[in-house]
Amino acid sequence: MLRALRAGDVQAADSAVQALTRARPQDPRSWSLDSDVATLRGELPRALASAERACSLGSTDFRDVIRRARALHALHRPEAAHELLDTLAARPPHAAVLAAVGDLQVEWRDYPRAHDAYDRAVQLQPRNPRHWFNRAAVRRYLGRLIDAEADYDQALALEPRDAEAQLNRSQLRTQTQSQNHLAELTRWAEQGFDTWQSEVAIRYALAKELEDLGNFAQSFLQLARGASVRRQHLRYDVRVDVATADHIIQAFPGTASGTRGCESAAPIFIVGMPRTGSTLIERMLASDEAVHSAGELTDFGLAVVSAVQQSLGRRNIARQELVAASARLDFAALGSDYLERTRPWRADGAQFIDKLPINYLYCGLIARALPRARIVHVTRHPLATGYAIFKTLFNQGYPFSYDLEELGAYYGSYYRLMQHWRERLPGVIHEIAYERLIEDPEGESRRLFGALGLTWSPRCLEFHRSSDAVATASAVQVRRPLYRSSLDQWRHYEAQLAPLRARLLAEGVPVDP
């Protein structure tokens, strides 16, 4: 069974684990494995039942409680899930248990509770660098940046070759001539790297600190090297994403009028390219007590795929066929499914923000499935956007980010699709430009709130004072008041960005005022 799982053959693993539970029905480990396989298959009631069976058979493995809690949360029973974790954390203290509890709380975006769990783990096992690293990451999300840097310092004192900790620490603040880590990072680069992942992280850290110190040529050199190594280890063809945008344009040639969707007005979607200021917009909107920030949710795309699979009666569907079939769905059911999937991430009765940037792909479906939902499209100068994306090492997603030609090709497909939505969905999408917001924050934010039917308040301009957690690449920037320095940062690299500029122009994207 384990061999099948390692090979990615979930069906074979499922057959093996079911044979195991029949042969050894009183062994709690059999049911633990069954719960894991059921989770992989998306069979959540079975995953919960098997984890509960393991516990009822006397399992002393705390991971079975974790399995139960994870299944409960996925089944939209967050209160029961949190109660289980609280019970587990209240047992006689054990660092490994508390670390696992913290990990799951991070997965659920409950960062204050995660911090408490990691804090106790640090106290119990202060020589374990992972506990310091985990607490540092959560402190970064919570805006405790000075404390986060101290934790990363401690983690690196215990494990000096932790490249991810080095990168995260470099990103916490603007480095200065008197306080930086360039000597340490340069020494590591000269000595060589243990893994390609380490090289990528260290080169991105060097790029960040060199840029802070004004050494732009060397900064871009390190960035380009790091991005190149990252790209070499990705299986990605930008032509697939470009073709997908074209498939969507073909599948949704008309307006959304005449379709019946779910009538909820709760969702506010913030869409566009990453690194355009969407987190800033989210924080401003969330200053309204009637609006809840749910983060970057993948639920709409998952709901679309699930609905198409059900309509076609199979799971393996080519992308073009999936897009075409999505135009023929029961849109009201799609909207309702999305709302059900998002329940664990939003407050009851409140409007909520879903700020996953690539939801721009679904604007046509959103307008049909949730006709009363609001869509905000955040834009930024194409070269500023491209540079901001290129210099970001994403944890996952955005595989077009590590090659300037591919980035330009992807941006071109995004640009064409958004032009299509503007024409086909008049009055549905509110546009807000990052540059205009920086130049006239009150005027632009007033227009934004008015377009969404919200009441504007001056506190939306004090977004940086909010204690709400931020777990995106903008976690540090949004702790600062509005600043202008990022508007023209890309101009330091106009020569290096020439391939991106050329590709954008070839794609029909205007790059000059």
Side-chain angles (χ1 to χ4, degrees), residues 159-223:
E159 180 47 77
R161 302 292 287 181
D162 187 338
E164 187 179 3
Q166 291 276 10
L167 174 59
N168 291 353
R169 183 177 65 175
S170 293
Q171 293 172 335
L172 285 173
R173 59 176 170 82
T174 300
Q175 306 298 315
T176 65
Q177 293 291 346
S178 62
Q179 191 177 9
N180 62 73
H181 314 96
L182 274 181
E184 187 178 343
L185 293 166
T186 302
R187 186 164 54 250
W188 193 336
E190 290 172 348
Q191 292 173 350
F193 303 98
D194 303 326
T195 64
W196 68 264
Q197 293 94 334
S198 293
E199 179 176 3
V200 171
I202 295 303
R203 294 204 184 280
Y204 272 76
L206 276 165
K208 163 66 167 64
E209 300 212 5
L210 286 164
E211 180 177 79
D212 286 348
L213 299 179
N215 192 338
F216 302 116
Q218 285 299 313
S219 172
F220 200 91
L221 180 63
Q222 292 295 336
L223 178 58

Coordinates of all heavy atoms in Angstrom, one line a residue, residues 159-223:
E159 N 20.4 26.1 13.5 CA 20.5 25.4 12.2 C 21.0 26.4 11.2 O 20.2 27.0 10.4 CB 19.2 24.7 11.8 CG 19.2 24.0 10.5 CD 20.4 23.1 10.3 OE1 20.4 22.0 10.9 OE2 21.4 23.5 9.7
P160 N 22.3 26.7 11.1 CA 22.8 27.8 10.2 C 22.5 27.5 8.8 O 22.6 28.5 8.0 CB 24.3 27.8 10.5 CG 24.4 27.1 11.9 CD 23.3 26.1 11.9
R161 N 22.3 26.3 8.3 CA 22.1 26.0 6.9 C 20.6 26.0 6.5 O 20.3 25.4 5.5 CB 22.8 24.7 6.6 CG 24.2 24.6 6.9 CD 25.1 25.5 6.0 NE 25.2 25.0 4.6 CZ 25.9 25.6 3.6 NH1 26.5 26.8 3.9 NH2 25.9 25.1 2.4
D162 N 19.8 26.7 7.3 CA 18.4 26.7 6.9 C 18.2 27.9 6.0 O 18.0 29.1 6.4 CB 17.5 26.9 8.2 CG 16.0 26.8 7.9 OD1 15.6 27.0 6.7 OD2 15.2 26.5 8.8
A163 N 18.2 27.6 4.6 CA 18.1 28.7 3.6 C 16.8 29.4 3.7 O 16.7 30.6 3.4 CB 18.4 28.1 2.3
E164 N 15.7 28.6 3.9 CA 14.4 29.3 4.0 C 14.3 30.3 5.1 O 13.7 31.4 4.9 CB 13.3 28.2 4.1 CG 11.9 28.8 4.0 CD 10.8 27.7 4.1 OE1 11.1 26.5 4.4 OE2 9.6 28.1 4.0
A165 N 14.9 30.0 6.3 CA 14.9 30.9 7.4 C 15.7 32.2 7.0 O 15.3 33.3 7.3 CB 15.5 30.3 8.6
Q166 N 16.8 32.0 6.3 CA 17.6 33.1 5.8 C 16.8 34.0 4.9 O 16.8 35.3 5.1 CB 18.8 32.6 5.0 CG 19.9 31.9 5.9 CD 20.8 32.8 6.5 OE1 20.6 34.0 6.6 NE2 21.9 32.3 7.1
L167 N 16.1 33.5 4.0 CA 15.2 34.3 3.1 C 14.1 35.0 3.8 O 13.9 36.2 3.6 CB 14.6 33.4 2.0 CG 13.7 34.1 1.0 CD1 14.3 35.3 0.3 CD2 13.1 33.1 0.0
N168 N 13.4 34.3 4.7 CA 12.3 34.9 5.4 C 12.8 36.0 6.3 O 12.1 37.1 6.4 CB 11.6 33.8 6.3 CG 10.9 32.8 5.5 OD1 10.7 32.9 4.3 ND2 10.4 31.7 6.1
R169 N 14.0 35.8 6.9 CA 14.5 36.9 7.8 C 14.9 38.1 6.9 O 14.6 39.3 7.4 CB 15.7 36.4 8.5 CG 16.3 37.4 9.5 CD 17.5 36.8 10.3 NE 18.6 36.5 9.4 CZ 19.8 36.1 9.9 NH1 20.0 35.9 11.2 NH2 20.8 35.8 9.1
S170 N 15.4 37.9 5.8 CA 15.8 39.1 4.9 C 14.6 39.9 4.5 O 14.7 41.1 4.3 CB 16.5 38.6 3.7 OG 17.8 38.0 4.0
Q171 N 13.4 39.2 4.4 CA 12.2 39.9 3.9 C 11.5 40.7 5.0 O 10.5 41.4 4.7 CB 11.3 38.9 3.3 CG 11.9 38.2 2.0 CD 11.0 37.1 1.5 OE1 10.3 36.5 2.3 NE2 11.1 36.8 0.2
L172 N 11.9 40.5 6.2 CA 11.1 41.1 7.3 C 11.2 42.6 7.4 O 10.3 43.3 8.0 CB 11.5 40.5 8.7 CG 11.1 39.1 9.0 CD1 11.7 38.6 10.2 CD2 9.5 39.1 9.1
R173 N 12.3 43.2 6.9 CA 12.5 44.7 7.0 C 13.4 45.1 5.9 O 14.0 44.3 5.2 CB 13.1 45.0 8.4 CG 14.4 44.4 8.6 CD 15.1 44.9 9.9 NE 16.2 44.1 10.3 CZ 17.4 44.3 9.7 NH1 17.6 45.3 8.9 NH2 18.5 43.5 10.1
T174 N 13.5 46.4 5.7 CA 14.4 47.0 4.8 C 15.8 47.0 5.4 O 16.0 47.5 6.5 CB 14.0 48.5 4.5 OG1 12.7 48.5 3.9 CG2 15.0 49.1 3.5
Q175 N 16.7 46.3 4.8 CA 18.1 46.2 5.3 C 18.8 47.5 5.1 O 18.6 48.3 4.2 CB 18.8 45.1 4.5 CG 18.1 43.7 4.5 CD 17.9 43.1 5.9 OE1 18.8 43.1 6.7 NE2 16.7 42.6 6.2
T176 N 19.8 47.7 6.0 CA 20.5 49.0 6.0 C 22.0 48.7 6.0 O 22.5 47.5 6.1 CB 20.3 49.8 7.3 OG1 20.7 49.1 8.4 CG2 18.8 50.1 7.5
Q177 N 22.8 49.7 5.7 CA 24.3 49.5 5.6 C 24.8 49.0 7.0 O 25.8 48.2 7.0 CB 25.0 50.9 5.3 CG 24.7 51.4 3.9 CD 25.3 50.5 2.8 OE1 26.2 49.7 3.1 NE2 24.9 50.7 1.6
S178 N 24.2 49.4 8.1 CA 24.7 49.0 9.4 C 24.1 47.7 9.9 O 24.6 47.1 10.8 CB 24.5 50.2 10.4 OG 23.1 50.4 10.5
Q179 N 23.0 47.3 9.3 CA 22.3 46.1 9.8 C 21.8 45.3 8.6 O 20.7 45.6 8.1 CB 21.2 46.5 10.7 CG 20.6 45.3 11.5 CD 19.5 45.8 12.5 OE1 19.1 46.9 12.5 NE2 19.1 44.9 13.4
N180 N 22.6 44.3 8.2 CA 22.2 43.5 7.1 C 22.8 42.1 7.3 O 23.6 41.9 8.2 CB 22.5 44.1 5.8 CG 24.0 44.3 5.6 OD1 24.7 43.4 5.4 ND2 24.4 45.6 5.7
H181 N 22.6 41.2 6.3 CA 23.1 39.8 6.4 C 23.9 39.5 5.2 O 24.1 38.3 4.9 CB 22.0 38.8 6.6 CG 21.0 39.2 7.6 ND1 19.8 39.8 7.3 CD2 21.0 39.1 9.0 CE1 19.1 40.1 8.5 NE2 19.8 39.7 9.5
L182 N 24.4 40.5 4.5 CA 25.1 40.3 3.2 C 26.3 39.4 3.3 O 26.6 38.5 2.5 CB 25.4 41.6 2.5 CG 24.4 42.2 1.7 CD1 24.9 43.5 1.1 CD2 23.9 41.3 0.6
A183 N 27.1 39.7 4.4 CA 28.4 38.9 4.5 C 28.0 37.4 4.7 O 28.7 36.5 4.1 CB 29.2 39.4 5.7
E184 N 27.1 37.2 5.5 CA 26.6 35.8 5.8 C 26.1 35.1 4.6 O 26.5 34.0 4.2 CB 25.6 35.8 6.9 CG 25.1 34.5 7.5 CD 24.1 34.6 8.6 OE1 24.0 35.8 9.1 OE2 23.4 33.7 8.9
L185 N 25.3 35.8 3.8 CA 24.7 35.2 2.6 C 25.7 35.1 1.5 O 25.7 34.0 0.8 CB 23.5 36.2 2.1 CG 22.3 36.3 3.0 CD1 21.4 37.5 2.6 CD2 21.5 35.0 3.0
T186 N 26.6 36.0 1.4 CA 27.6 35.9 0.3 C 28.6 34.8 0.6 O 29.0 34.0 -0.3 CB 28.4 37.2 0.3 OG1 27.5 38.3 0.0 CG2 29.5 37.2 -0.8
R187 N 28.9 34.6 1.9 CA 29.8 33.5 2.3 C 29.1 32.1 2.0 O 29.8 31.2 1.4 CB 30.1 33.6 3.8 CG 31.1 32.6 4.3 CD 31.6 32.9 5.7 NE 30.5 33.2 6.7 CZ 30.2 34.4 7.1 NH1 30.9 35.4 6.7 NH2 29.2 34.5 8.0
W188 N 27.8 32.0 2.2 CA 27.1 30.8 1.9 C 27.2 30.6 0.3 O 27.5 29.5 -0.1 CB 25.7 30.9 2.3 CG 24.9 29.6 2.3 CD1 25.2 28.5 1.5 CD2 23.8 29.3 3.1 NE1 24.3 27.5 1.8 CE2 23.4 28.0 2.7 CE3 23.0 30.0 4.0 CZ2 22.3 27.3 3.3 CZ3 22.0 29.3 4.6 CH2 21.6 28.0 4.2
A189 N 26.9 31.6 -0.4 CA 26.9 31.5 -1.9 C 28.3 31.0 -2.4 O 28.4 30.2 -3.3 CB 26.5 32.8 -2.6
E190 N 29.4 31.6 -1.8 CA 30.7 31.2 -2.2 C 31.1 29.8 -1.8 O 31.9 29.1 -2.5 CB 31.7 32.2 -1.6 CG 31.6 33.6 -2.2 CD 32.4 34.6 -1.4 OE1 32.9 34.3 -0.3 OE2 32.6 35.7 -1.9
Q191 N 30.6 29.3 -0.7 CA 30.9 28.0 -0.2 C 30.1 26.9 -1.0 O 30.5 25.7 -1.0 CB 30.6 27.8 1.3 CG 31.5 28.7 2.1 CD 31.1 28.7 3.6 OE1 30.0 28.2 3.9 NE2 31.9 29.2 4.4
G192 N 29.1 27.2 -1.7 CA 28.3 26.3 -2.4 C 27.0 25.9 -1.7 O 26.8 26.2 -0.5
F193 N 26.1 25.2 -2.4 CA 24.8 24.9 -1.8 C 24.6 23.4 -1.7 O 25.0 22.6 -2.5 CB 23.7 25.5 -2.8 CG 23.9 27.0 -3.0 CD1 24.5 27.5 -4.1 CD2 23.4 27.9 -2.1 CE1 24.7 28.8 -4.3 CE2 23.6 29.2 -2.2 CZ 24.2 29.7 -3.4
D194 N 23.8 23.0 -0.6 CA 23.5 21.6 -0.4 C 22.5 21.1 -1.4 O 22.6 20.0 -1.9 CB 23.0 21.4 1.0 CG 23.9 22.0 2.1 OD1 25.1 21.8 1.9 OD2 23.4 22.5 3.1
T195 N 21.5 22.0 -1.7 CA 20.4 21.6 -2.6 C 20.1 22.7 -3.6 O 20.5 23.9 -3.3 CB 19.2 21.2 -1.9 OG1 18.7 22.4 -1.2 CG2 19.4 20.1 -0.8
W196 N 19.4 22.4 -4.6 CA 18.9 23.5 -5.5 C 18.0 24.5 -4.8 O 18.0 25.7 -5.0 CB 18.3 23.0 -6.8 CG 17.0 22.3 -6.7 CD1 16.8 20.9 -6.6 CD2 15.7 22.9 -6.7 NE1 15.5 20.7 -6.5 CE2 14.8 21.8 -6.6 CE3 15.3 24.2 -6.7 CZ2 13.4 22.1 -6.5 CZ3 13.9 24.4 -6.7 CH2 13.0 23.4 -6.6
Q197 N 17.2 23.9 -3.9 CA 16.2 24.8 -3.1 C 17.0 25.8 -2.3 O 16.6 26.9 -2.2 CB 15.3 23.9 -2.2 CG 14.4 23.0 -3.0 CD 14.9 21.6 -3.2 OE1 16.1 21.4 -3.3 NE2 14.0 20.6 -3.4
S198 N 18.1 25.3 -1.7 CA 18.9 26.3 -0.9 C 19.5 27.4 -1.8 O 19.5 28.5 -1.4 CB 20.0 25.5 -0.2 OG 19.5 24.6 0.8
E199 N 20.0 27.0 -2.9 CA 20.5 28.0 -3.8 C 19.5 29.1 -4.2 O 19.7 30.3 -4.2 CB 21.1 27.4 -5.1 CG 21.6 28.4 -6.0 CD 22.3 27.9 -7.3 OE1 22.3 26.7 -7.5 OE2 22.8 28.7 -8.1
V200 N 18.3 28.6 -4.5 CA 17.2 29.5 -4.9 C 16.9 30.5 -3.7 O 16.9 31.7 -3.9 CB 15.9 28.8 -5.3 CG1 14.7 29.7 -5.5 CG2 16.1 28.0 -6.6
A201 N 16.7 30.0 -2.5 CA 16.4 30.8 -1.4 C 17.5 31.8 -1.1 O 17.2 33.0 -0.8 CB 16.1 29.9 -0.2
I202 N 18.7 31.4 -1.1 CA 19.8 32.3 -0.8 C 20.0 33.4 -1.9 O 20.3 34.5 -1.5 CB 21.2 31.5 -0.6 CG1 21.0 30.6 0.6 CG2 22.3 32.5 -0.4 CD1 20.7 31.3 1.9
R203 N 19.8 33.0 -3.1 CA 20.0 34.0 -4.2 C 18.8 35.0 -4.1 O 19.1 36.2 -4.3 CB 20.1 33.4 -5.5 CG 21.3 32.5 -5.7 CD 21.7 32.4 -7.2 NE 22.9 31.5 -7.3 CZ 24.1 31.9 -7.1 NH1 24.4 33.1 -6.7 NH2 25.1 31.0 -7.3
Y204 N 17.6 34.6 -3.8 CA 16.5 35.6 -3.6 C 16.8 36.5 -2.4 O 16.5 37.6 -2.4 CB 15.2 34.8 -3.4 CG 14.5 34.5 -4.8 CD1 15.0 33.5 -5.6 CD2 13.4 35.3 -5.2 CE1 14.4 33.2 -6.8 CE2 12.8 35.0 -6.4 CZ 13.3 34.0 -7.2 OH 12.7 33.8 -8.4
A205 N 17.4 35.9 -1.3 CA 17.7 36.7 -0.1 C 18.8 37.7 -0.5 O 18.7 38.9 -0.1 CB 18.2 35.8 1.0
L206 N 19.8 37.3 -1.2 CA 20.8 38.2 -1.6 C 20.2 39.4 -2.5 O 20.6 40.5 -2.3 CB 21.9 37.5 -2.4 CG 23.0 36.8 -1.6 CD1 23.8 35.8 -2.5 CD2 23.9 37.8 -1.0
A207 N 19.3 39.0 -3.4 CA 18.7 40.0 -4.3 C 18.0 41.0 -3.5 O 18.0 42.2 -3.7 CB 17.8 39.3 -5.3
K208 N 17.2 40.5 -2.5 CA 16.4 41.4 -1.6 C 17.3 42.4 -0.8 O 17.1 43.6 -0.8 CB 15.6 40.6 -0.6 CG 15.1 41.4 0.6 CD 14.0 42.4 0.3 CE 13.3 42.9 1.5 NZ 14.1 43.6 2.5
E209 N 18.4 41.9 -0.2 CA 19.2 42.8 0.6 C 20.1 43.7 -0.3 O 20.3 44.9 0.1 CB 20.1 41.9 1.5 CG 19.3 41.0 2.5 CD 19.9 40.8 3.8 OE1 21.0 41.4 4.1 OE2 19.3 40.0 4.6
L210 N 20.6 43.2 -1.4 CA 21.3 44.1 -2.3 C 20.4 45.2 -2.8 O 20.9 46.4 -3.0 CB 21.9 43.3 -3.5 CG 23.1 42.4 -3.1 CD1 23.3 41.3 -4.2 CD2 24.3 43.2 -2.9
E211 N 19.2 44.9 -3.2 CA 18.3 46.0 -3.6 C 18.0 47.0 -2.5 O 18.0 48.2 -2.8 CB 16.9 45.4 -4.0 CG 15.9 46.4 -4.5 CD 14.6 45.8 -5.0 OE1 13.8 45.5 -4.2 OE2 14.5 45.7 -6.3
D212 N 17.8 46.5 -1.3 CA 17.6 47.5 -0.2 C 18.8 48.4 0.0 O 18.6 49.6 0.3 CB 17.5 46.7 1.1 CG 16.1 46.0 1.3 OD1 15.2 46.3 0.4 OD2 16.0 45.2 2.2
L213 N 20.0 47.9 -0.3 CA 21.2 48.8 -0.2 C 21.6 49.5 -1.5 O 22.6 50.2 -1.5 CB 22.4 47.9 0.2 CG 22.2 47.1 1.6 CD1 23.4 46.3 1.9 CD2 22.0 48.1 2.7
G214 N 20.7 49.4 -2.5 CA 20.9 50.2 -3.7 C 21.8 49.6 -4.7 O 22.2 50.3 -5.7
N215 N 22.2 48.4 -4.5 CA 23.1 47.7 -5.5 C 22.3 47.0 -6.5 O 22.1 45.8 -6.4 CB 24.1 46.8 -4.8 CG 25.2 46.3 -5.7 OD1 25.1 46.3 -6.9 ND2 26.3 45.9 -5.1
F216 N 21.6 47.7 -7.4 CA 20.6 47.2 -8.3 C 21.1 46.2 -9.3 O 20.5 45.2 -9.5 CB 19.8 48.3 -8.9 CG 19.2 49.3 -8.0 CD1 19.6 50.6 -7.9 CD2 18.2 48.8 -7.0 CE1 19.1 51.5 -7.0 CE2 17.7 49.7 -6.1 CZ 18.1 51.0 -6.1
A217 N 22.3 46.4 -9.9 CA 22.8 45.5 -10.9 C 23.1 44.1 -10.3 O 22.7 43.1 -10.8 CB 24.1 46.1 -11.5
Q218 N 23.8 44.1 -9.1 CA 24.1 42.8 -8.5 C 22.8 42.2 -7.9 O 22.7 40.9 -8.0 CB 25.1 43.0 -7.3 CG 26.5 43.3 -7.8 CD 27.0 42.1 -8.6 OE1 26.9 40.9 -8.2 NE2 27.6 42.4 -9.7
S219 N 21.9 43.0 -7.5 CA 20.6 42.4 -7.0 C 19.9 41.6 -8.1 O 19.5 40.5 -7.9 CB 19.7 43.6 -6.5 OG 18.4 43.1 -6.3
F220 N 19.8 42.3 -9.3 CA 19.1 41.6 -10.4 C 19.9 40.3 -10.9 O 19.3 39.3 -11.3 CB 18.9 42.5 -11.6 CG 17.8 42.0 -12.5 CD1 16.4 42.4 -12.3 CD2 18.1 41.2 -13.6 CE1 15.4 41.9 -13.1 CE2 17.1 40.7 -14.4 CZ 15.7 41.1 -14.2
L221 N 21.2 40.4 -10.8 CA 22.0 39.3 -11.2 C 21.7 38.1 -10.3 O 21.5 36.9 -10.8 CB 23.5 39.6 -11.1 CG 24.5 38.5 -11.5 CD1 24.3 38.1 -12.9 CD2 25.9 39.0 -11.2
Q222 N 21.6 38.3 -9.0 CA 21.3 37.2 -8.1 C 19.9 36.7 -8.3 O 19.6 35.5 -8.3 CB 21.5 37.7 -6.6 CG 22.9 38.0 -6.2 CD 23.8 36.7 -6.2 OE1 23.3 35.6 -6.1 NE2 25.1 36.9 -6.4
L223 N 19.0 37.7 -8.5 CA 17.6 37.3 -8.7 C 17.4 36.4 -10.0 O 16.7 35.4 -10.0 CB 16.7 38.6 -8.9 CG 15.3 38.4 -9.2 CD1 14.6 37.6 -8.1 CD2 14.6 39.8 -9.3

